[in-house]
Amino acid sequence: MAQTVLFVMTGSDHWTLKDGTRHPTGFWAEEAVVPLEAFVDAGYQVTVATPGGVRPPVDEGSLSARSAGSEEAAAHYREVIDNAPEFQKPIALADAKVSDYDAVFFPGGHGPMEDLATDADAAAVLTAAIGGDVLLGIVCHGPAALLSASDANGQSAFAGRTVTAFTNAEEEQAGLADQAPWLLQDRLTEAGLKVIAGDPWAPHVETDGALYTGQNPASSAPLARAMVERLEQGR
C-alpha cells in the first residue's frame, strides 16, 4: 500500500500588516511544489487540506524568476500549481484525520501567518501528529501553525522542541520586518520552542524526533529528502 502524506496549506491570499493593510500573499511556490514532487516521485499519495477546503492561493511573488531562481523554474512551478490534481480540490482541514496518513507537511509563505497560526483545526492536526508519532515536516513560515497548538495548561504543545523557521534576519532582508505585526522567530521563542537559526537564505534543516523543520525556501528540497529517507526506513 502506498504511503500517504497530508499537505496542510494556507487558505489566505493576504497577510494583515500592523497598520491594518493587506499584503498579498499565499503559499510560497517552491515550498509546496518541490516537496510535492519529492513525495510523488517516491511513490507517495499526497492529499492537500486547507481551512474550509478552499483552493490554496499561491503568492504571486514566489513565481517571479528572481524568487524561483530562473525563468524555467518559475514556469515549472506555475505549471504544477495550475495542473497538479493535488492542488485543485483540497479537502477541508476539519475533515483531515491524521491517523490516515504516514506524514504531515506544512508549506510556508506568509499565508500561514494569517490563518494557520490561530486555526483550531491546524492545532488538532499538529497535536494528533506529534502525539501519534506521525512524521511532521514544516518549512519557512509554516511553523507559524505551531503557535495554534496548546496543551491543557494553555502552554505550547511544542514547548521545548527544537525547530528552525524563517528568521528575523531573513524577514528584515526581505523588507517586511518593520511592517509585520509579529516576527515568527520571536513568537516561537516566546512560546518556549528552541529556534535554531542558520545563515540567511541557506538551506537549513532541524530534526527533533518525528518533527522536521526547514528554515526557508532553499530548505524545501533537503527537508523533503530527509522526510522521504525517514519514511523509507519505516517501510
Side-chain angles (χ1 to χ4, degrees):
M1 182 179 295
Q3 296 211 52
T4 55
V5 182
L6 177 69
F7 267 42
V8 179
M9 300 182 68
T10 183
S12 180
D13 62 1
H14 68 276
W15 179 33
T16 304
L17 303 179
K18 63 183 178 183
D19 65 358
T21 60
R22 290 186 169 192
H23 175 72
T25 188
F27 69 88
W28 198 257
E30 180 178 1
E31 297 168 16
V33 173
V34 170
L36 173 70
E37 294 184 321
F39 290 121
V40 171
D41 288 348
Y44 303 155
Q45 296 176 353
V46 174
T47 297
V48 171
T50 63
V54 301
R55 185 173 175 182
V58 65
D59 187 325
E60 291 294 331
S62 69
L63 291 169
S64 70
R66 181 175 179 273
S67 295
S70 69
E71 292 283 0
E72 293 76 14
H76 176 67
Y77 294 160
R78 173 75 75 182
E79 192 277 331
V80 173
I81 290 165
D82 287 347
N83 296 291
E86 292 85 357
F87 293 134
Q88 311 314 310
K89 293 182 178 180
I91 66 170
L93 185 53
D95 295 334
K97 186 177 180 182
V98 171
S99 58
D100 290 340
Y101 300 93
D102 299 291
V104 178
F105 185 81
F106 284 70
H110 281 110
M113 302 275 280
E114 184 72 20
D115 59 359
L116 299 183
T118 57
D119 190 280
D121 295 319
V125 166
L126 287 163
T127 53
I130 210 68
D133 204 32
V134 173
L135 187 62
L136 177 59
I138 318 178
V139 67
C140 200
H141 288 93
L146 297 175
L147 299 170
S148 69
S150 301
D151 62 20
N153 297 316
Q155 303 299 311
S156 170
F158 291 86
R161 304 300 293 264
T162 297
V163 299
T164 190
F166 201 68
T167 64
N168 291 357
E170 288 167 323
E171 204 74 80
E172 289 164 3
Q173 292 173 22
L176 284 170
D178 290 343
Q179 304 171 65
W182 46 273
L183 297 177
L184 181 56
Q185 182 180 352
D186 288 348
R187 189 62 66 85
L188 291 170
T189 300
E190 292 165 3
L193 286 77
K194 182 179 180 182
V195 183
I196 307 298
D199 293 335
W201 312 110
H204 176 212
V205 173
E206 289 288 334
T207 61
D208 183 337
L211 175 61
Y212 284 53
T213 49
Q215 179 173 317
N216 46 36
S219 305
S220 303
L223 175 61
R225 284 198 301 270
M227 292 181 69
V228 168
E229 290 172 4
R230 176 73 173 264
L231 288 167
E232 290 297 299
Q233 292 171 6
R235 278 190 183 274

